[in-house]
Amino acid sequence: MANVKLSKSEENYLKSIFNLSEFGNKQVSTNSISKVLNIEPASVTDMIKKLSKKNLIYHEKYKGSTISKSGIKIALQIIRRHRLWEVFLHDKLNFKWDEIHNIAEELEHVSSEELIDNLDKFLKYPKIDPHGDPIPNKLGEIDFVDKISISDLNINEKGIVSRIINEDEEFFSLLKKLNIEIGTEVKIIDKIEYDQSLEIHIDNKSVIISKDIADNIKITKI
Amino acid sequence: MANVKLSKSEENYLKSIFNLSEFGNKQVSTNSISKVLNIEPASVTDMIKKLSKKNLIYHEKYKGSTISKSGIKIALQIIRRHRLWEVFLHDKLNFKWDEIHNIAEELEHVSSEELIDNLDKFLKYPKIDPHGDPIPNKLGEIDFVDKISISDLNINEKGIVSRIINEDEEFFSLLKKLNIEIGTEVKIIDKIEYDQSLEIHIDNKSVIISKDIADNIKITKI
DNA sequence: ATCTAAATTTAGGCTTACCTAAAAAATTTA
DNA sequence: TAAATTTTTTAGGTAAGCCTAAATTTAGAT
Ligand SMILES: [Mn+2]
Ligand SMILES: [Mn+2]
Ligand SMILES: [Mn+2]
Ligand SMILES: [Mn+2]
């Protein structure tokens, strides 16, 4: 049972499974893992077997996978590393908030507990990363700031962007094009029945964004 | 010819070959690589073939390997990354000088040129790492500070420890036991004919160290 | 309830980076 | 210089982590 070091691949799978499971509450399909990791389903099945044998997830054939207690614990540590490195890259090395994710994706696998604890201290124990995501502490405790997203606002309501969920390159460049970042004020102008698109104001300019985009942008109502 | 990203293994081999070659001047034996990397000679032969095909080294069967111009260039970049991370770990995260090497051994493989350049700037372009080793600049230029070692001193001469060559755990703990670190003053008391051991004073206490140990500790004469 | 389509798993393969054992070449010793 | 030793390479294998193609199971549509 002694925590044997996980490979980079195992860590990436575990983190993705945790993220897809919504804090360990949902069963995760093989296909969904395949999609987020860009790895063929057959390969995902292989890794699921490996992680199951290590009791980091439970798997019922043809049904899906559930992350275990110890799996969650490890996933939270990987997320902690990722987000602390993102803070470092953003606050200390002056990277833009949309340039840090990929580098942190590598740095998160350098697993020295002392390294992360010292980094945490150096950064003065930050609570959120540059995308507004909460950072688990050493014990894996995490502030549950499940904010509402743009699509939860009603017409004429306003919010301040506080968190970006999707961290893909394309999503970042879309946000850039829309002039949306953490702190941006948005106002709902109209909700389009047809496909639930939203017309919103950013810097007093009107744009229409899809429901999917709106769901990926969390805000604080003002 | 376009620089395809090297694997962690390839990078470690290349760095070791460069280090063994004394700045590209010496031919490197398969066995010596095997020893520093703790990998069997047969496996080293495999990798030598791989690196040869990429023109990073030249290899003459049964004779040895020579690092190429482009091999040197890459090796210097890896060394740059390693030493910059060591400075960061030591100066910013408050690690001791004997705790940083292994972590840097991992961090050096996170290869984003922007990351390293920003780190360099953040650290204010340091010239040497915490072991006294010079840090190559962005262009791979490196201050050639080939200092003399303890074994080059004569009886009654004194020096200040300026650089530790061997970065193995065991060597570090030996130095710790001997109370030797960067900045320590040493004085030669006696040179023992038999095996060229040296009797030296550290903090006015006398110890005897082997020629090999003395060779691995560079000093500035005072 | 059956037929179809989608999701999942199995089977068989590939590459990387290692290994051991044995063969071949080079070096040292006598 | 021949024999012994050391170094290096070749041959054959393994585990991790991926792939494609084919089989199986489940879920959705009629
Ligand atoms: Mn990652
Ligand atoms: Mn983030
Ligand atoms: Mn390394
Ligand atoms: Mn160093």
Side-chain angles (χ1 to χ4, degrees):
Chain A
M1 279 301 100
N3 280 340
V4 181
K5 197 193 173 307
L6 298 183
S7 73
K8 186 167 159 173
S9 277
E10 290 172 319
E11 289 193 343
N12 282 333
Y13 272 92
L14 208 55
K15 194 176 61 154
S16 296
I17 293 170
F18 174 79
N19 284 146
L20 289 166
S21 78
E22 290 172 16
F23 279 82
N25 295 315
K26 254 181 46 188
Q27 211 172 10
V28 177
S29 75
T30 299
N31 247 5
S32 64
I33 301 170
S34 163
K35 264 161 208 142
V36 293
L37 287 178
N38 239 293
I39 292 170
E40 294 301 318
S43 309
V44 173
T45 300
D46 284 349
M47 183 58 90
I48 280 173
K49 282 179 190 160
K50 246 187 102 184
L51 295 176
S52 293
K53 200 169 329 175
K54 296 189 180 187
N55 287 308
L56 299 172
I57 62 176
Y58 307 122
H59 182 241
E60 219 185 325
K61 245 191 208 173
Y62 290 103
K63 290 291 174 55
S65 306
T66 313
I67 190 162
S68 75
K69 211 78 194 280
S70 55
I72 291 176
K73 214 170 138 190
I74 293 173
L76 281 167
Q77 287 313 310
I78 303 165
I79 289 169
R80 169 172 157 81
R81 292 183 222 144
H82 183 100
R83 294 181 180 166
L84 284 173
W85 279 119
E86 284 192 338
V87 172
F88 171 70
L89 294 170
H90 184 266
D91 293 5
K92 303 295 180 180
L93 297 199
N94 294 116
F95 278 98
K96 305 280 166 50
W97 64 287
D98 58 337
E99 301 170 326
I100 58 184
H101 182 71
N102 291 335
I103 300 177
E105 202 57 53
E106 295 304 313
L107 287 167
E108 71 186 1
H109 303 293
V110 178
S111 63
S112 152
E113 208 180 316
E114 253 202 309
L115 169 61
I116 297 307
D117 291 344
N118 288 4
L119 179 63
D120 196 16
K121 184 179 183 183
F122 176 63
L123 298 172
K124 309 251 174 64
Y125 307 104
K127 291 292 221 170
I128 57 164
D129 80 5
H131 306 107
D133 293 314
I135 300 173
N137 69 12
K138 194 179 159 67
L139 302 169
E141 294 159 349
I142 184 168
D143 282 1
F144 212 129
V145 284
D146 209 12
K147 303 208 182 74
I148 57 177
S149 39
I150 291 187
S151 44
D152 297 320
L153 289 178
N154 297 311
I155 292 177
N156 280 325
E157 287 184 328
K158 292 184 194 172
I160 302 284
V161 172
S162 63
R163 190 174 170 200
I164 309 299
I165 303 298
N166 186 329
E167 296 194 16
D168 293 342
E169 295 265 23
E170 317 90 62
F171 196 71
F172 283 148
S173 60
L174 167 66
L175 294 184
K176 197 152 232 175
K177 191 170 298 173
L178 293 172
N179 262 311
I180 292 176
E181 54 183 41
I182 306 280
T184 301
E185 186 180 315
V186 296
K187 182 183 176 186
I188 309 299
I189 303 303
D190 196 11
K191 293 192 154 192
I192 294 142
E193 278 296 316
Y194 174 61
D195 63 348
Q196 290 162 288
S197 289
L198 295 144
E199 183 183 356
I200 63 176
H201 265 189
I202 300 160
D203 302 333
N204 267 345
K205 276 187 289 193
S206 165
V207 288
I208 292 179
I209 60 176
S210 70
K211 171 91 163 54
D212 182 79
I213 294 172
D215 282 342
N216 273 289
I217 306 171
K218 299 285 185 186
I219 50 104
T220 309
K221 218 163 134 180
I222 50 175
Chain B
M1 279 303 103
N3 279 340
V4 181
K5 197 192 171 305
L6 298 183
S7 72
K8 188 167 158 174
S9 277
E10 290 171 320
E11 289 193 344
N12 282 334
Y13 272 92
L14 208 54
K15 194 176 60 152
S16 296
I17 293 169
F18 174 77
N19 284 145
L20 288 167
S21 78
E22 291 171 15
F23 279 82
N25 295 315
K26 254 179 48 186
Q27 213 174 6
V28 176
S29 75
T30 300
N31 248 4
S32 64
I33 301 169
S34 162
K35 262 160 209 147
V36 293
L37 287 178
N38 239 293
I39 292 170
E40 293 301 317
S43 310
V44 173
T45 300
D46 284 350
M47 182 58 90
I48 280 173
K49 283 180 189 156
K50 245 185 104 185
L51 295 176
S52 293
K53 201 168 331 177
K54 296 188 180 187
N55 286 310
L56 299 171
I57 62 176
Y58 308 121
H59 182 240
E60 219 187 323
K61 244 191 208 171
Y62 289 102
K63 290 293 174 53
S65 306
T66 312
I67 190 163
S68 75
K69 210 79 193 273
S70 53
I72 291 176
K73 212 169 141 188
I74 294 173
L76 282 166
Q77 287 312 310
I78 303 165
I79 289 169
R80 169 173 157 83
R81 293 183 220 142
H82 183 102
R83 293 181 182 167
L84 284 173
W85 280 118
E86 285 192 337
V87 172
F88 170 70
L89 295 170
H90 185 266
D91 293 6
K92 303 294 179 181
L93 298 199
N94 293 118
F95 278 97
K96 305 281 166 53
W97 65 287
D98 58 336
E99 301 170 326
I100 58 184
H101 181 71
N102 291 334
I103 300 176
E105 202 58 52
E106 297 304 313
L107 287 167
E108 71 185 2
H109 302 293
V110 178
S111 62
S112 152
E113 206 178 317
E114 252 201 310
L115 169 61
I116 296 307
D117 291 343
N118 287 5
L119 179 63
D120 196 15
K121 185 178 182 183
F122 175 63
L123 298 172
K124 310 251 177 62
Y125 307 103
K127 291 292 219 170
I128 58 164
D129 81 4
H131 306 107
D133 292 314
I135 300 173
N137 70 12
K138 195 178 160 66
L139 303 170
E141 293 158 348
I142 184 168
D143 282 358
F144 211 128
V145 283
D146 208 12
K147 303 207 185 73
I148 58 176
S149 39
I150 292 188
S151 45
D152 297 320
L153 289 178
N154 296 311
I155 292 177
N156 280 324
E157 287 184 328
K158 292 184 192 172
I160 301 284
V161 172
S162 63
R163 190 175 171 200
I164 309 297
I165 304 299
N166 186 328
E167 295 194 17
D168 294 343
E169 294 264 26
E170 317 91 60
F171 196 71
F172 283 148
S173 58
L174 167 67
L175 293 182
K176 199 153 229 174
K177 191 171 297 175
L178 292 172
N179 262 310
I180 292 176
E181 55 183 42
I182 307 279
T184 301
E185 186 181 315
V186 296
K187 182 183 175 186
I188 309 301
I189 303 303
D190 197 11
K191 293 192 154 192
I192 293 142
E193 279 295 316
Y194 175 62
D195 63 347
Q196 289 162 286
S197 291
L198 295 144
E199 182 183 357
I200 63 176
H201 266 189
I202 301 159
D203 302 334
N204 267 345
K205 275 188 288 191
S206 164
V207 289
I208 292 179
I209 61 175
S210 71
K211 171 93 164 55
D212 182 79
I213 294 172
D215 282 343
N216 273 288
I217 306 170
K218 300 284 184 186
I219 51 103
T220 310
K221 219 161 133 181
I222 52 174

